[in-house]
Amino acid sequence: MSDKMYQPLSLLYRWIQENNELVNKCKQRGGGDALSPDQNKPHLRWCSSEFHKLLKKIQGIPPLADYLQLELTVVYNVCLCSTAQSQFSEAELLLTQATERVLQMTGDAPVASDPPVFWRTVINSVGDTALNPCVLYLLCLQWAIWLSTCQLKIIQECQDELFSVFETLSTGVWDEGRSELREKSSDIPLLVMDPRRLIELLQICTIIAQGAESLSEGRSSEALSGLQTASSLPAPRTLIAYTHLLSGSCLAHMSCPQMALQCYRKALETDSRCVCALYQSMLIYRQLGNTQAEIQGLRLLHSTLMLPFATEPALADTRLLSPSLLLRSQSLSSLLSVPSALSVLHNLALKCVHHGRVSDGVEYYLDLLAVLHSEDQHGVHAEGPPLPSLPELYLQAGAALLMARRPADCMALCDEVITTTLELLPEKVVLAEPEEKCEAETRALCAEGDDRVAMLLWAGAAYLLQGHCHTQLKDWKQAVTHYTRCFNLLVKARFKKGSFQPQIPSADMVGKQGTDLCILQKLKGLSLAGRGISFTQTDQLREALRDLQLSMQAFPECVSAGLWCGEVLWRLGRRWEAAACWEKTWSFTPQFSVE
């Protein structure tokens, strides 16, 4: 009889020792709960496999009270490993099987699959027995799975049960008793991760996820209340910084930009790696029209994104369950998105050029082009809007160089654009109405047509800039040559409307601003104006008048053409016509400060 009693006890003891050895091996890669799934995936898979084997042994016997406590502990450990590997379905299946065995042991009937009802029944079935903390640990894991799979609605429905778990585990009564026993005896099964740390992590991550969801749905004040409370919880700095960041986003949506800036500053003070706070601050300065602060913010954001840590995950953690695993909602991802370093550099260059800091803008453009041509394209594949095409960047940089009075460098960049595109252009290019482009043709043909139009506009703009360069150098003959090349290239384009035959476009055909046809007409007008002005400088007034009048027909808002046309008419002795031309020109409100 004594031998029969000794055997189950020794079996229980042996399984406890096996569990504890596995837990210790899991923690050998670091201290405490340290086990990084990203760096130790093979080790994590091995741990999960070994815990599975042990669990199958234990579940081979009926669910007795002594053994069930060990079984639930092993289920906790194996589910943690599965969840850490994003094997959520497998982990949920194990949790369901474990809780059904609890109900089987307590004699309670199986309940409906409604999560709040189910877990309330399981918790009530164990009462204040030794199984109670084990069941609460499993509910923590279910909470983690719901959070990782963005099932925030279920978490909201179970908030009473989850709050009860938090209150119970945060007091540490259960764990303190286990710790005392652990020090005195090796018969207590160990856990891979301290449940109290897990519950703290789950609480703040849930508030962050729910806050992001409320913010995306326009409930900013509701989200703000919870986030401000969460900022005082015990949690990693990264998560506390996120509470300040999202609080700032709420305040920005509530039209409180100065208070939002204070929250973004708190986020950066809490965690200097919170790059999103820098980006959001810059957007606030842009909204307020503070150009100097916006440019300074862009500079700081770019230099920060170029640091090595900026490419690492912001939520990297040494826990078995890292915050990045728990915070996967699309709402939060969109709120935390930051453009790439190259995109920020491009915005910085544009902003400097548009606000009179041309020399700075030129240097940023040249840095951008240098990075694009180098092998080390830091941040090219990061989130955010894509950069313009390379020919567009060349043309933007060329325009900045021209404004900085560096015509030789501008012409070199334009030569690159012309060399790349000119050979690919067909004899004629057809522009269709935007809404009709893809109805009559397949998507592939539509895309091919768009590419041809883009190449035509790039080459035309490059010739136009080269004409401006020669104008700046007062080389009027070369200026006329390049303006003529630009115009001759652009007249290859024909405009097709509906079922009519393609025809040469005119100013009255231009619809929405910014369309290809609108850009084409502006380029035509500017090339004719440039050639007319160049003819004026060589006293070829008849030719100048012709081109300037054609320029005004193609692009009526071209102020320089109108002014010079009046000048030519005056010099030709047609002073009444000159006065009328100037009056008409000044009646326009230019849409661009720089032509």
Side-chain angles (χ1 to χ4, degrees):
M1 183 72 178
S2 60
D3 290 341
K4 290 181 180 178
M5 297 228 6
Y6 175 76
Q7 187 174 359
L9 290 174
S10 62
L11 189 62
L12 176 64
Y13 177 78
R14 188 162 68 246
W15 284 342
I16 290 174
Q17 293 305 306
E18 187 175 344
N19 172 78
N20 293 352
E21 287 174 9
L22 284 174
V23 170
N24 290 328
K25 285 180 181 178
C26 282
K27 295 181 179 181
Q28 281 177 359
R29 297 294 177 97
D33 294 330
L35 178 66
S36 173
D38 290 333
Q39 297 176 354
N40 300 306
K41 285 182 179 178
H43 182 71
L44 186 59
R45 283 195 295 268
W46 178 86
C47 291
S48 181
S49 174
E50 294 301 311
F51 277 124
H52 265 290
K53 293 175 184 177
L54 175 58
L55 183 60
K56 286 181 180 179
K57 295 178 189 176
I58 300 171
Q59 289 181 337
I61 63 173
L64 303 175
D66 291 338
Y67 287 84
L68 195 56
Q69 189 173 358
L70 170 63
E71 180 182 337
L72 297 183
T73 302
V74 177
V75 169
Y76 174 88
N77 289 336
V78 71
C79 284
L80 264 174
C81 293
S82 297
T83 304
Q85 299 175 83
S86 300
Q87 297 172 351
F88 305 119
S89 299
E90 182 178 336
E92 277 200 297
L93 179 61
L94 288 172
L95 289 174
T96 302
Q97 292 173 347
T99 48
E100 285 176 352
R101 282 171 67 85
V102 169
L103 293 174
Q104 181 183 348
M105 192 211 74
T106 57
D108 290 282
V111 293
S113 59
D114 183 56
V117 176
F118 177 79
W119 281 102
R120 195 177 301 124
T121 302
V122 175
I123 293 171
N124 291 336
S125 70
V126 295
D128 293 330
T129 65
L131 293 177
N132 185 277
C134 297
V135 170
L136 295 183
Y137 298 161
L138 298 188
L139 180 53
C140 287
L141 284 177
Q142 180 64 76
W143 183 357
I145 293 170
W146 286 334
L147 188 55
S148 299
T149 53
C150 305
Q151 299 184 62
L152 298 181
K153 186 176 180 180
I154 296 180
I155 293 176
Q156 187 70 25
E157 292 172 356
C158 296
Q159 62 179 351
D160 292 338
E161 288 74 21
L162 298 179
F163 180 76
S164 175
V165 171
F166 176 76
E167 287 293 311
T168 303
L169 296 183
S170 60
T171 58
V173 174
W174 300 105
D175 197 71
E176 285 171 8
R178 289 171 64 92
S179 298
E180 291 176 6
L181 288 171
R182 238 182 251 127
E183 293 174 2
K184 297 177 182 179
S185 171
S186 59
D187 295 349
I188 303 298
L190 301 178
L191 300 171
V192 173
M193 183 177 183
D194 186 342
R196 285 181 299 177
R197 292 192 180 184
L198 175 58
I199 200 77
E200 290 173 354
L201 185 64
L202 289 172
Q203 187 191 25
I204 192 167
C205 285
T206 300
I207 294 174
I208 290 173
Q210 290 175 335
E213 197 70 22
S214 298
L215 183 57
S216 67
E217 293 173 358
R219 294 179 282 119
S220 302
S221 57
E222 178 184 326
L224 181 62
S225 176
L227 290 165
Q228 289 177 332
T229 303
S231 63
S232 60
L233 294 174
R237 287 184 308 164
T238 303
L239 296 177
I240 298 299
Y242 278 9
T243 64
H244 292 306
L245 173 70
L246 294 180
S247 295
S249 297
C250 292
L251 289 164
H253 279 78
M254 295 164 66
S255 301
C256 302
Q258 296 300 334
M259 295 176 69
L261 286 173
Q262 292 178 9
C263 289
Y264 295 144
R265 187 178 69 249
K266 286 181 183 178
L268 285 167
E269 289 172 351
T270 305
D271 181 12
S272 59
R273 294 175 48 169
C274 190
V275 184
C276 188
L278 273 177
Y279 176 59
Q280 294 298 328
S281 298
M282 183 274 297
L283 294 180
I284 292 289
Y285 289 128
R286 178 178 296 174
Q287 177 189 339
L288 294 173
N290 189 339
T291 304
Q292 183 176 352
E294 181 187 349
I295 290 176
Q296 186 178 355
L298 283 168
R299 283 174 177 160
L300 185 57
L301 178 60
H302 176 256
S303 59
T304 305
L305 287 171
M306 294 302 293
L307 295 174
F309 73 72
T311 59
E312 300 172 3
L315 289 174
D317 202 288
T318 57
R319 288 177 178 78
L320 184 60
L321 292 184
S322 68
S324 59
L325 185 72
L326 302 172
L327 296 174
R328 293 182 162 191
S329 72
Q330 187 60 43
S331 300
L332 182 62
S333 298
S334 61
L335 289 169
L336 299 179
S337 62
V338 177
S340 68
L342 288 183
S343 180
V344 172
L345 184 58
H346 176 241
N347 278 318
L348 182 55
L350 268 177
K351 188 63 64 173
C352 286
V353 171
H354 286 171
H355 289 86
R357 303 186 182 188
V358 179
S359 58
D360 290 339
V362 165
E363 295 307 315
Y364 291 133
Y365 268 120
L366 296 179
D367 289 345
L368 177 61
L369 294 178
V371 174
L372 288 173
H373 284 289
S374 70
E375 294 181 359
D376 181 23
Q377 296 189 15
H378 186 98
V380 170
H381 303 292
E383 297 179 4
L387 286 170
S389 61
L390 198 57
E392 288 183 61
L393 290 175
Y394 268 72
L395 292 170
Q396 290 180 14
L401 286 164
L402 180 64
M403 293 172 69
R405 308 197 72 79
R406 293 171 59 177
D409 294 329
C410 174
M411 285 191 283
L413 288 180
C414 290
D415 279 334
E416 289 286 336
V417 175
I418 293 168
T419 303
T420 305
T421 59
L422 205 55
E423 294 180 355
L424 302 175
L425 284 176
E427 283 299 316
K428 290 184 179 179
V429 176
V430 177
L431 286 79
E433 284 186 313
E435 63 271 15
E436 296 179 1
K437 278 186 178 179
C438 294
E439 291 179 3
E441 301 174 340
T442 64
R443 291 183 181 272
L445 290 174
C446 180
E448 183 181 352
D450 288 343
D451 290 342
R452 289 177 179 179
V453 172
M455 285 190 287
L456 176 77
L457 297 178
W458 294 335
Y463 278 133
L464 179 69
L465 283 176
Q466 287 187 329
H468 289 342
C469 290
H470 289 293
T471 297
Q472 198 173 87
L473 294 169
K474 299 189 185 304
D475 187 346
W476 307 115
K477 184 177 179 180
Q478 282 297 320
V480 167
T481 299
H482 285 83
Y483 287 133
T484 302
R485 288 175 180 172
C486 175
F487 181 76
N488 289 342
L489 184 65
L490 296 174
V491 294
K492 290 183 176 182
R494 296 290 186 272
F495 179 66
K496 185 177 186 299
K497 183 173 183 178
S499 59
F500 295 99
Q501 289 295 318
Q503 55 185 309
I504 297 174
S506 59
D508 58 353
M509 295 180 183
V510 176
K512 292 187 290 185
Q513 297 294 315
T515 61
D516 290 340
L517 180 58
C518 177
I519 296 170
L520 176 73
Q521 288 301 109
K522 287 180 179 179
L523 288 175
K524 274 187 184 179
L526 291 172
S527 64
L528 288 167
R531 191 170 70 174
I533 293 168
S534 300
F535 279 137
T536 304
Q537 300 300 321
T538 56
D539 290 328
Q540 296 174 269
L541 299 183
R542 299 291 178 186
E543 292 82 356
L545 182 60
R546 176 201 64 200
D547 283 352
L548 290 168
Q549 287 176 335
L550 289 174
S551 171
M552 294 169 66
Q553 291 176 16
F555 181 23
E557 294 86 359
C558 185
V559 175
S560 59
L563 296 177
W564 277 98
C565 186
E567 172 71 19
V568 172
L569 288 168
W570 187 273
R571 287 167 63 177
L572 289 172
R574 298 159 63 175
R575 300 193 173 185
W576 286 107
E577 293 178 64
C581 183
W582 283 329
E583 184 179 358
K584 181 180 178 181
T585 300
W586 287 121
S587 68
F588 285 109
T589 303
Q591 295 185 1
F592 302 96
S593 59
V594 180
E595 282 187 2

